[in-house]
Amino acid sequence: MTERRALIVGLGISGIACAIAMHRAGWTPVVVERAPARRRGGYFIAIMGVGRAAAADLGVGDRLVDHRAQSSTYVIDRQGNRSPGLSFADIPINPYLTMRGDVEDAVWQTLQDVAPDTEIHFLTSPTAIEQDSNGVEVTLEGPEGVTRKRFDLVIGADGIRSTVRRLAFPPELGGLRRLGTMICAYALQEDLPTLPRGVGGQIIEPGRSFTVFPFDDRRSTVLFSYYAADPDAERKGVHSEQIRKAFGPEPLGPILEAALRQLETSEAALFDIAEQVHLSTWYQGRVVLVGDAAWCPSLYSGMGASSGLAGANVLGKRLQKHGDDIAAALADWESTMRPRVSSFQKFAMTGVGVFTPASTDAIRIRKRAMVLLTYPVIRWLFSRLGKFLPIMQQRQRPIA
Ligand SMILES: Cc1cc2nc3c(=O)[nH]c(=O)nc-3n(C[C@H](O)[C@H](O)[C@H](O)COP(=O)(O)OP(=O)(O)OC[C@H]3O[C@@H](n4cnc5c(N)ncnc54)[C@H](O)[C@@H]3O)c2cc1C
């Protein structure tokens, strides 16, 4: 059989998982990454059953570890007074609670094991993509200058603002869809007042929230989420100043003040508009998108990394199954993934309201639900019945 080469654009969780899956399917993956090196650290993420099953299939094994904190998460006010709260640890399908960088490290180590010679070019990006029925010509710009290379398949795993999507997918197929909120996520350098290591908290006010995701073995990561009338203007501003305005005019209090002071010196904070990607198809000929580039469900779904892992895993399997018939493989792959991804995207619409309730009424309802969940019998029922909710089943069932 002749060698089949796939260009993978992007070395995030989805891109690395694609490299493993393509290697396993008998292809030669070549990766380009715009950044000068692999990213590390990041923010809290939960890996659901769909992601855990895909990681297991990809051979990631026990490199993916649950780092959940043992103590509780509380709803707190600006002074740190506590009332009952709910966290990802209470989701009745046992997600792994970890950090984005841990998941990326786990897939990266696996790639090093199975295909250590994978060609990876940093500081390199595609600037043009042209295809015919037999292959794809890609113009790449990087330290070697401008080069033109031919591949049998191009996989865009280059994130929510994908260049591959811009170059190969006409805008009428769809694109970004805003959820109305801004997000800011980063890891703390010091514990916050009243919230020692391992204790989580959430300040919930109409249209704005602040969440502390706890770990026992490292410092917490935090997330600001708030509605913004003009997200473009918001994003152009300085993150800490914009958040101070959004959480004013009331005094910030010791917890928010300490968190914002740490944001001012954080080098890796993510400050962005919360968006999803909606496309009517995820492939055009021999160019396919995977992960956030194709379907970003947003952080409110808790499924971005999990669906990226599953998308990569299933793509490799379908290409292996259909051999030289790439069109059939991509059609089969998309029809397998699309119903699941649609449900994750829909779930995110509920997730925005749970994370950042827009009104005092919504907060009141949320608060009552939290109090109810302090009763052991209700908690037990929630853990039993929650498993039967359709979205929960989607989350825990592996995608084959
Ligand atoms: C605050 C927050 C919380 C989250 N919580 C969860 C959660 O609980 N559970 C969950 O499953 N998911 C969660 N997510 C989502 C998850 O982090 C993402 O969906 C996932 O990391 C996306 O991975 P990716 O590889 O598809 O894209 P990315 O991580 O964006 O990787 C894309 C890569 O492509 C590179 N690139 C971009 N453009 C180019 C170019 N032109 N040329 C070459 N390379 C390029 C980038 O540098 C990057 O390395 C959360 C996200 C956020 C922001």
Side-chain angles (χ1 to χ4, degrees):
M1 202 159 87
T2 53
E3 186 195 28
R4 289 176 303 173
R5 282 160 38 93
L7 175 71
I8 299 168
V9 181
L11 193 68
I13 293 171
S14 306
I16 303 170
C18 281
I20 301 169
M22 294 306 287
H23 171 78
R24 190 188 54 192
W27 287 62
T28 304
V30 174
V31 185
V32 293
E33 164 59 50
R34 184 170 57 187
R38 217 158 59 72
R39 274 183 307 163
R40 311 309 274 262
Y43 38 79
F44 162 91
I45 64 174
I47 296 295
M48 306 292 177
V50 162
R52 282 169 54 188
D57 235 7
L58 289 165
V60 174
D62 54 14
R63 291 192 184 93
L64 196 61
V65 176
D66 189 9
H67 288 278
R68 73 180 52 216
Q70 293 312 311
S71 82
S72 301
T73 286
Y74 300 91
V75 171
I76 51 176
D77 64 17
R78 291 190 181 206
Q79 300 307 318
N81 298 307
R82 297 176 181 181
S83 55
L86 200 60
S87 79
F88 273 83
D90 299 300
I91 297 176
I93 52 172
N94 271 336
Y96 275 8
L97 308 187
T98 178
M99 280 175 66
R100 199 203 62 81
D102 290 334
V103 182
E104 203 185 285
D105 279 346
V107 277
W108 172 256
Q109 293 306 331
T110 308
L111 179 64
Q112 294 310 296
D113 272 3
V114 300
D117 299 331
T118 303
E119 222 181 285
I120 297 175
H121 303 268
F122 288 101
L123 292 167
T124 305
S125 256
T127 54
I129 298 176
E130 288 156 39
Q131 57 176 315
D132 53 49
S133 54
N134 296 319
V136 194
E137 291 276 333
V138 185
T139 308
L140 293 166
E141 264 184 45
E144 301 149 27
V146 177
T147 52
R148 246 172 104 83
K149 292 186 179 156
R150 194 168 174 85
F151 297 92
D152 299 289
L153 184 71
V154 171
I155 302 174
D158 50 345
I160 186 163
R161 298 204 168 76
S162 166
T163 301
V164 175
R165 194 173 70 230
R166 179 171 55 74
L167 295 174
F169 286 68
E172 54 272 22
L173 294 180
L176 294 170
R177 207 177 279 177
R178 293 189 169 171
L179 299 176
T181 54
M182 296 296 299
I183 51 165
C184 183
Y186 56 100
L188 293 175
Q189 300 121 44
E190 288 168 31
D191 294 335
L192 296 174
T194 77
L195 291 171
R197 172 86 58 100
V199 178
Q202 217 179 0
I203 295 175
I204 309 262
E205 297 173 352
R208 55 196 186 188
S209 69
F210 170 72
T211 307
V212 178
F213 298 100
F215 293 106
D216 287 332
D217 58 354
R218 64 190 73 177
R219 294 205 198 286
S220 309
T221 78
V222 298
L223 172 71
F224 285 96
S225 162
Y226 60 96
Y227 284 88
D230 185 352
D232 292 307
E234 198 78 17
R235 190 161 59 147
K236 281 188 203 133
V238 177
H239 45 29
S240 53
E241 288 171 14
Q242 302 297 71
I243 294 170
R244 277 180 196 281
K245 275 188 227 148
F247 281 71
E250 303 89 332
L252 288 175
I255 298 168
L256 292 178
E257 188 58 59
L260 284 173
R261 263 200 238 112
Q262 294 190 43
L263 174 59
E264 282 156 13
T265 54
S266 166
E267 284 169 8
L270 173 105
F271 179 57
D272 210 345
I273 301 168
E275 286 167 308
Q276 293 185 325
V277 174
H278 289 260
L279 288 176
S280 55
T281 176
W282 296 326
Y283 63 94
Q284 291 285 281
R286 289 170 175 260
V287 182
V288 59
L289 301 172
V290 176
D292 275 9
W295 56 66
C296 178
S298 88
L299 70 121
Y300 300 110
S301 74
M303 290 304 295
S306 287
S307 60
L309 290 166
N313 184 41
V314 176
L315 179 64
K317 288 186 165 187
R318 294 300 183 270
L319 285 163
Q320 196 166 18
K321 176 177 161 193
H322 292 278
D324 286 335
D325 194 346
I326 289 176
L330 297 182
D332 187 355
W333 169 77
E334 178 159 339
S335 66
T336 307
M337 291 301 299
R338 193 167 276 281
R340 272 67 170 224
V341 166
S342 298
S343 72
F344 305 151
Q345 288 183 322
K346 279 195 199 113
F347 183 74
M349 310 313 286
T350 315
V352 185
V354 173
F355 252 94
T356 312
S359 65
T360 36
D361 280 348
I363 292 178
R364 212 171 292 128
I365 294 166
R366 191 184 191 282
K367 206 169 175 180
R368 285 203 189 121
M370 300 293 133
V371 173
L372 273 180
L373 280 165
T374 57
Y375 296 105
V377 69
I378 305 272
R379 229 182 159 86
W380 179 82
L381 270 175
F382 175 67
S383 70
R384 296 276 139 172
L385 295 179
K387 288 183 182 160
F388 298 105
L389 295 174
I391 182 66
M392 292 295 178
Q393 289 177 14
Q394 287 282 357
R395 285 167 162 226
Q396 65 191 325
R397 201 179 295 151
I399 300 175

